[in-house]
Amino acid sequence: MIRTDISNVFPFVSKENVEALSAELKAAHEALEAGTGAGSDFLGWLRLPENYDREEFARIKKAAEKIKSDSQALVVIGIGGSYLGARAAIEFLKSPNYNLKKKNTPDIFFAGNNISAAATEEIVELIGDRDFSINVISKSGTTTEPAIAFRIFKALIEKKYGKEGAKGRIYATTDAAKGALKNLATVEGYETFVVPDNIGGRFSVLSAVGLLPMAAAGIDIDAVMQGAYSAMAEFSEKSFANPVWQYAAARNALYRAGKTTEILACYEPAFRFMAEWWKQLYGESEGKDGKGIFPASCDFTADLHSMGQYIQEGMRNIFETVVKMEHPNGNVTIEATEENVDGLNYIAGRDLHYVNEQARRGVALAHVDGGVPNILVTMDKLDEHNYGELVYFFELACGISGYTLGVNPFNQPGVEAYKKNMFALLGKPGYEELGAELAKRL
Amino acid sequence: MIRTDISNVFPFVSKENVEALSAELKAAHEALEAGTGAGSDFLGWLRLPENYDREEFARIKKAAEKIKSDSQALVVIGIGGSYLGARAAIEFLKSPNYNLKKKNTPDIFFAGNNISAAATEEIVELIGDRDFSINVISKSGTTTEPAIAFRIFKALIEKKYGKEGAKGRIYATTDAAKGALKNLATVEGYETFVVPDNIGGRFSVLSAVGLLPMAAAGIDIDAVMQGAYSAMAEFSEKSFANPVWQYAAARNALYRAGKTTEILACYEPAFRFMAEWWKQLYGESEGKDGKGIFPASCDFTADLHSMGQYIQEGMRNIFETVVKMEHPNGNVTIEATEENVDGLNYIAGRDLHYVNEQARRGVALAHVDGGVPNILVTMDKLDEHNYGELVYFFELACGISGYTLGVNPFNQPGVEAYKKNMFALLGKPGYEELGAELAKRL
């Protein structure tokens, strides 16, 4: 089970002061469970691991089997929470090089998360003449980026298979009842999956939003849900022995002590997009009302040779959270060489995990000595079950942490500001007044 | 030529106050050129675009041709400045999906930038039984991560081609005269290229360090150097009309006004690793003595749906720098549809560049309105020449900015701290005392 070690926080905020947050954490945790806090319409993720829709879950697995059987590529169209979770899971559980690998599952291409012509064209090129399917993920069906991408890839797939043939290759993950995409899916007869009303995008990875792409990539989503369920059971404990409380308490105590930037790091490169998923989860939940910890990420040991200098000696408003695997994948032993030109023979016979772990331990001490608190989150190994645990750990800690910070962790009012401006500048009907205003400013 | 627009800084720091930094910028710029500032032993990058070694440059191109002719894969072993620059250039100029694309140049795999067994094994798996070469990049030859990787891939290539055959496939970019790798290369007869003494890793991308992998990937390195040369000529101007001055002034003025985190963003996903390269350049140059702007990055518009909320409404200690291409790659027009279910017909007939640019403009205004200053760096298009300009722009601005901040931008004393601890924990001879000390703490 996921555990937390916050001992390297205590040189900066005393154990007593961190644990003194217990009353606030308890109130936050209870408000979440009782649904009495801000944003309580969006708490569907909290009990999701036990009360998810089994019928839909079975359809997800069936759809994934069909995609695996009839497609060499799957285009996953979505942005934000409809993109990052699935990409993170596939990179973490399969590989950042998933598409390069020999496998009996389709390549996965993520489209609709940008407005880049080059990136869009390239996906078309990479699919080539291979068989493909589309999973379009959008609650409304009108979010600009995925809507544009869906126009393009829908035209492509209909050209290839005909309108009839295409219908069996388009999977829409969208609102259960309303919205442009839901309506289209009904008219066209696409198979649909649900973006639940009571789960915000950044908390949706364990819904159909994340699960269908994961299953298509060959990830055991039963094990994912079992892991999340274990975590849900384990982390319901209302005491400071709960690793979720420890993480939420440590980061809130550090924030109050002026450590306002958190770097999430891992010593396995496959974690890179898990950190991107985490950045949305925490940044979007906490970054409001002029407050919130700024979420950043590093890829260690690589970034010890880039961001390492700053972390060691730059502004002292940062802290680190490191995700560690007790038993990582892979098995590489360092061989002795006769000449020992690189001087590495002192670690000959060691495996890379051992060396990597000594790096992690050495870094933690060096950074603490340099004034950077260090939180350690340990998972047992890199598999579906542990991934499910980790997701639930971070989601629950985020909810508790957000309430402790005093914000509504389940809304995102600031995301609309740029969209309005963009619509106005694009001349969208209804935005004429704002358009005139912006034209004057530009 | 690269240009800068800092008008969206003035709502936060007045034009007068930004321009008042001119005297400091001038002093910094002159100290760089005269070599009278801190770290002046590491100014080789400043005139590199005109005085690089033409003989070596020709050998780089020849080596790249040989690699292209006899290898389907090239393993580039290096970390920090011996990794990020080349990866960034290949992703930016070729594609983040470079290895997935059909091409007549070898796949490029970056090894030795982590201590992950899984990541290392995977490269071996992805090479498979294909022909490959190695470019090992290390000034000393003893940096732990690349040294471990080189042991592994040297054994692999010697097993495949025999010791003799392997020699013609290993290219060592290292010190000109001394060090473990240089000595080995001399004994074995590897072709060698030089990591210059007077250029730090993070400024080394336009030396053999970056150029050989780039050339092997089919990048026109002549055009890169010409672009850098143009920038060198253009940006030598000592006035506030110089875009380099404007960037350096704006960020220093913002830093002094409490905007201590800079987010580098681009609306083209291919830029992701350019931002990683930039983070090393600025973070390692400025993050010392308890100061320095914290460098972060975003990938827009994707991250407007993740970090966007924080940027719009979180803590107000951030500013943004956006890199824009006037003429991006790709050509995608949004087609009208009869049903217009997604409501996008109001932009039918528009190309994606137009839409992407309106997003950028709308975001800039929204973020400024939300309290986030916005610096705009514009390049004409995405090609080798413009890339060379951009690299030189950021390098020169970094030197000037660092002096203006009052640090030595060319050292990295903090990077050693974790290494010492790691050596001690690994039991490296000579670190016994520190090892005993750390054992007590752990």
Side-chain angles (χ1 to χ4, degrees):
Chain A
M1 180 55 60
I2 306 290
R3 50 203 182 280
T4 312
D5 178 351
I6 60 171
S7 58
N8 279 327
V9 168
F10 301 145
F12 304 92
V13 184
S14 74
K15 193 165 186 287
E16 293 65 37
N17 282 344
V18 177
E19 293 186 3
L21 287 170
S22 289
E24 290 179 59
L25 298 169
K26 186 161 183 284
H29 200 162
E30 287 174 350
L32 275 181
E33 291 192 344
T36 53
S40 59
D41 288 347
F42 293 93
L43 292 173
W45 55 271
L46 194 64
R47 310 297 300 180
L48 185 67
E50 68 176 359
N51 66 13
Y52 62 90
D53 181 340
R54 263 67 179 180
E55 180 276 327
E56 183 189 52
F57 195 82
R59 280 198 301 117
I60 290 170
K61 290 198 283 185
K62 216 173 135 188
E65 287 310 315
K66 177 164 184 299
I67 293 166
K68 284 192 257 180
S69 74
D70 69 7
S71 302
Q72 280 104 53
L74 172 66
V75 180
V76 176
I77 298 175
I79 196 165
S82 300
Y83 156 54
L84 289 171
R87 179 163 177 187
I90 293 168
E91 293 205 1
F92 191 43
L93 289 167
K94 292 295 174 182
S95 164
N97 295 309
Y98 169 80
N99 280 352
L100 273 178
K101 296 183 76 151
K102 286 193 194 110
K103 56 195 178 293
N104 52 14
T105 50
D107 282 358
I108 311 274
F109 296 106
F110 291 95
N113 58 68
N114 57 64
I115 316 178
S116 162
T120 307
E121 275 187 350
E122 187 166 272
I123 295 174
V124 176
E125 173 197 326
L126 290 171
I127 295 171
D129 57 8
R130 293 184 293 170
D131 283 309
F132 74 104
S133 296
I134 294 172
N135 180 202
V136 54
I137 308 168
S138 177
K139 179 101 179 136
S140 65
T142 56
T143 302
T144 307
E145 293 88 341
I148 291 174
F150 187 49
R151 277 202 180 199
I152 293 163
F153 287 97
K154 182 171 178 282
L156 191 73
I157 205 166
E158 289 181 349
K159 193 176 159 201
K160 186 177 175 91
Y161 299 102
K163 218 165 156 48
E164 273 307 305
K167 286 177 188 180
R169 292 178 169 274
I170 298 176
Y171 303 85
T173 306
T174 187
D175 191 90
K178 60 185 188 303
L181 182 56
K182 176 63 183 177
N183 294 340
L184 179 70
T186 304
V187 170
E188 300 273 6
Y190 303 154
E191 176 152 22
T192 61
F193 302 96
V194 175
V195 181
D197 276 332
N198 60 354
I199 302 182
R202 60 188 173 277
F203 286 87
S204 71
V205 65
L206 301 183
S207 77
V209 169
L211 292 176
L212 179 54
M214 278 191 233
I219 290 170
D220 177 353
I221 61 173
D222 284 293
V224 167
M225 296 309 286
Q226 283 155 15
Y229 181 83
S230 303
M232 189 187 78
E234 178 90 4
F235 298 146
S236 64
E237 186 184 346
K238 310 283 179 313
S239 91
F240 209 84
N242 186 341
V244 167
W245 281 36
Q246 291 168 23
Y247 178 54
R251 58 198 301 283
N252 272 283
L254 289 168
Y255 176 73
R256 294 177 192 184
K259 305 293 186 186
T260 59
T261 292
E262 177 176 7
I263 298 173
L264 188 73
C266 183
Y267 286 75
E268 290 293 333
F271 193 79
R272 176 181 293 277
F273 261 79
M274 286 296 291
E276 295 300 322
W277 167 81
W278 170 91
K279 279 154 80 168
Q280 181 187 8
L281 184 60
Y282 280 79
E284 199 163 86
S285 297
E286 297 188 330
K288 49 197 69 161
D289 308 339
K291 47 190 180 180
I293 296 168
F294 183 85
S297 61
C298 277
D299 182 12
F300 288 159
T301 60
D303 292 343
L304 294 169
H305 296 249
S306 62
M307 289 296 293
Q309 168 63 37
Y310 193 104
I311 297 169
Q312 192 68 46
E313 298 185 341
M315 272 187 69
R316 302 296 74 185
N317 61 346
I318 55 180
F319 69 97
E320 286 177 319
T321 297
V322 172
V323 174
K324 170 192 162 184
M325 268 143 274
E326 197 73 70
H327 304 287
N329 291 339
N331 182 11
V332 177
T333 302
I334 298 165
E335 306 287 344
T337 62
E338 210 174 312
E339 323 84 39
N340 193 29
V341 278
D342 53 17
L344 282 186
N345 273 358
Y346 76 101
I347 46 171
R350 296 289 192 182
D351 67 25
L352 282 198
H353 301 326
Y354 175 83
V355 180
N356 212 8
E357 172 62 6
Q358 303 323 308
R360 187 200 62 74
R361 296 167 84 206
V363 167
L365 291 176
H367 288 181
V368 167
D369 290 346
V372 177
N374 190 288
I375 298 171
L376 181 63
V377 175
T378 302
M379 56 199 290
D380 187 43
K381 56 183 179 174
L382 178 42
D383 66 6
E384 279 92 341
H385 188 96
N386 281 271
Y387 162 80
E389 286 183 8
L390 187 69
V391 165
Y392 195 87
F393 169 87
F394 276 131
E395 288 182 351
L396 181 60
C398 184
I400 294 177
S401 205
Y403 280 167
T404 306
L405 177 68
V407 299
N408 174 354
F410 306 113
N411 68 0
Q412 53 283 331
V415 176
E416 298 309 310
Y418 97 87
K419 292 187 190 172
K420 281 184 203 156
N421 286 355
M422 179 177 73
F423 293 149
L425 292 169
L426 286 170
K428 185 171 182 172
Y431 291 83
E432 293 78 6
E433 207 174 317
L434 181 57
E437 216 176 282
L438 297 182
K440 272 184 229 159
R441 290 176 63 186
L442 284 161
Chain B
M1 179 54 62
I2 307 290
R3 51 203 183 280
T4 312
D5 178 352
I6 59 171
S7 58
N8 278 328
V9 167
F10 302 145
F12 304 92
V13 185
S14 74
K15 193 164 188 285
E16 294 65 41
N17 282 345
V18 177
E19 293 185 3
L21 286 170
S22 288
E24 291 178 57
L25 298 169
K26 187 161 185 283
H29 201 161
E30 287 174 352
L32 274 181
E33 291 191 343
T36 53
S40 58
D41 287 348
F42 293 93
L43 293 173
W45 55 273
L46 193 65
R47 311 296 301 179
L48 184 67
E50 69 176 0
N51 66 14
Y52 62 91
D53 181 341
R54 263 67 179 178
E55 180 275 328
E56 183 189 53
F57 195 82
R59 280 198 301 117
I60 290 171
K61 290 198 283 186
K62 218 173 133 188
E65 287 309 315
K66 180 166 182 299
I67 294 166
K68 283 191 257 183
S69 74
D70 68 8
S71 302
Q72 280 104 52
L74 172 66
V75 181
V76 177
I77 297 173
I79 196 165
S82 300
Y83 156 54
L84 289 170
R87 179 164 177 185
I90 293 168
E91 292 205 1
F92 191 43
L93 290 166
K94 292 296 175 181
S95 165
N97 294 308
Y98 168 80
N99 281 353
L100 272 179
K101 295 183 76 150
K102 288 195 192 106
K103 56 194 178 293
N104 52 13
T105 50
D107 282 357
I108 311 273
F109 297 106
F110 291 95
N113 57 67
N114 57 65
I115 316 179
S116 162
T120 307
E121 275 186 351
E122 187 165 271
I123 295 174
V124 176
E125 173 197 326
L126 290 171
I127 294 171
D129 56 6
R130 294 184 293 168
D131 283 308
F132 74 104
S133 295
I134 294 172
N135 179 203
V136 53
I137 309 169
S138 176
K139 181 101 178 136
S140 65
T142 57
T143 301
T144 307
E145 293 88 342
I148 290 174
F150 188 49
R151 277 203 179 197
I152 294 163
F153 287 98
K154 181 171 180 282
L156 190 74
I157 204 166
E158 288 181 349
K159 192 176 159 202
K160 186 177 174 88
Y161 298 102
K163 218 165 157 50
E164 274 308 306
K167 287 177 186 180
R169 293 178 168 272
I170 298 175
Y171 303 85
T173 306
T174 186
D175 192 90
K178 60 185 187 304
L181 182 56
K182 177 63 184 176
N183 293 340
L184 178 71
T186 305
V187 170
E188 301 273 5
Y190 303 153
E191 176 151 24
T192 61
F193 301 96
V194 174
V195 181
D197 277 331
N198 60 355
I199 301 182
R202 62 189 173 275
F203 286 87
S204 71
V205 65
L206 301 183
S207 76
V209 169
L211 294 176
L212 179 54
M214 277 191 237
I219 290 170
D220 177 354
I221 61 173
D222 283 293
V224 167
M225 295 308 285
Q226 283 154 15
Y229 181 83
S230 302
M232 188 186 80
E234 179 88 3
F235 297 145
S236 64
E237 188 186 342
K238 310 285 180 309
S239 91
F240 208 84
N242 185 341
V244 167
W245 280 36
Q246 291 168 23
Y247 178 54
R251 59 197 302 284
N252 271 282
L254 289 168
Y255 176 74
R256 292 177 195 185
K259 305 291 186 187
T260 58
T261 292
E262 179 176 8
I263 298 173
L264 190 72
C266 183
Y267 286 73
E268 289 293 333
F271 193 79
R272 178 179 291 275
F273 261 79
M274 285 298 290
E276 296 299 322
W277 167 81
W278 170 90
K279 277 153 81 169
Q280 181 188 9
L281 184 61
Y282 280 79
E284 198 163 85
S285 297
E286 296 187 332
K288 50 198 69 161
D289 309 339
K291 48 190 177 180
I293 296 169
F294 182 86
S297 61
C298 277
D299 182 12
F300 288 160
T301 59
D303 292 344
L304 294 169
H305 296 250
S306 64
M307 289 295 293
Q309 168 62 37
Y310 192 104
I311 297 170
Q312 193 67 46
E313 298 186 341
M315 272 188 70
R316 302 297 72 185
N317 62 345
I318 55 180
F319 68 98
E320 286 178 318
T321 297
V322 172
V323 175
K324 170 193 162 183
M325 268 142 274
E326 198 72 71
H327 305 286
N329 291 339
N331 183 10
V332 177
T333 302
I334 298 165
E335 307 288 346
T337 63
E338 211 174 309
E339 322 84 40
N340 193 31
V341 279
D342 53 16
L344 283 185
N345 273 358
Y346 76 101
I347 46 171
R350 294 289 191 182
D351 67 25
L352 283 198
H353 301 326
Y354 175 82
V355 180
N356 212 8
E357 173 62 6
Q358 302 324 308
R360 187 200 64 72
R361 295 167 84 206
V363 168
L365 290 176
H367 288 181
V368 166
D369 290 345
V372 177
N374 190 288
I375 299 171
L376 182 63
V377 175
T378 302
M379 55 197 293
D380 188 41
K381 56 182 178 176
L382 178 43
D383 67 5
E384 280 91 341
H385 188 97
N386 280 273
Y387 162 80
E389 285 183 9
L390 188 69
V391 165
Y392 195 87
F393 169 86
F394 275 131
E395 288 183 350
L396 181 60
C398 185
I400 293 175
S401 205
Y403 280 166
T404 305
L405 177 67
V407 299
N408 174 354
F410 306 113
N411 67 0
Q412 53 283 334
V415 177
E416 298 310 310
Y418 97 86
K419 291 187 190 171
K420 279 183 205 157
N421 285 355
M422 178 177 72
F423 293 150
L425 292 170
L426 286 170
K428 187 171 180 170
Y431 290 82
E432 292 79 3
E433 207 173 318
L434 180 57
E437 217 176 281
L438 297 182
K440 271 184 230 159
R441 291 176 63 188
L442 284 161

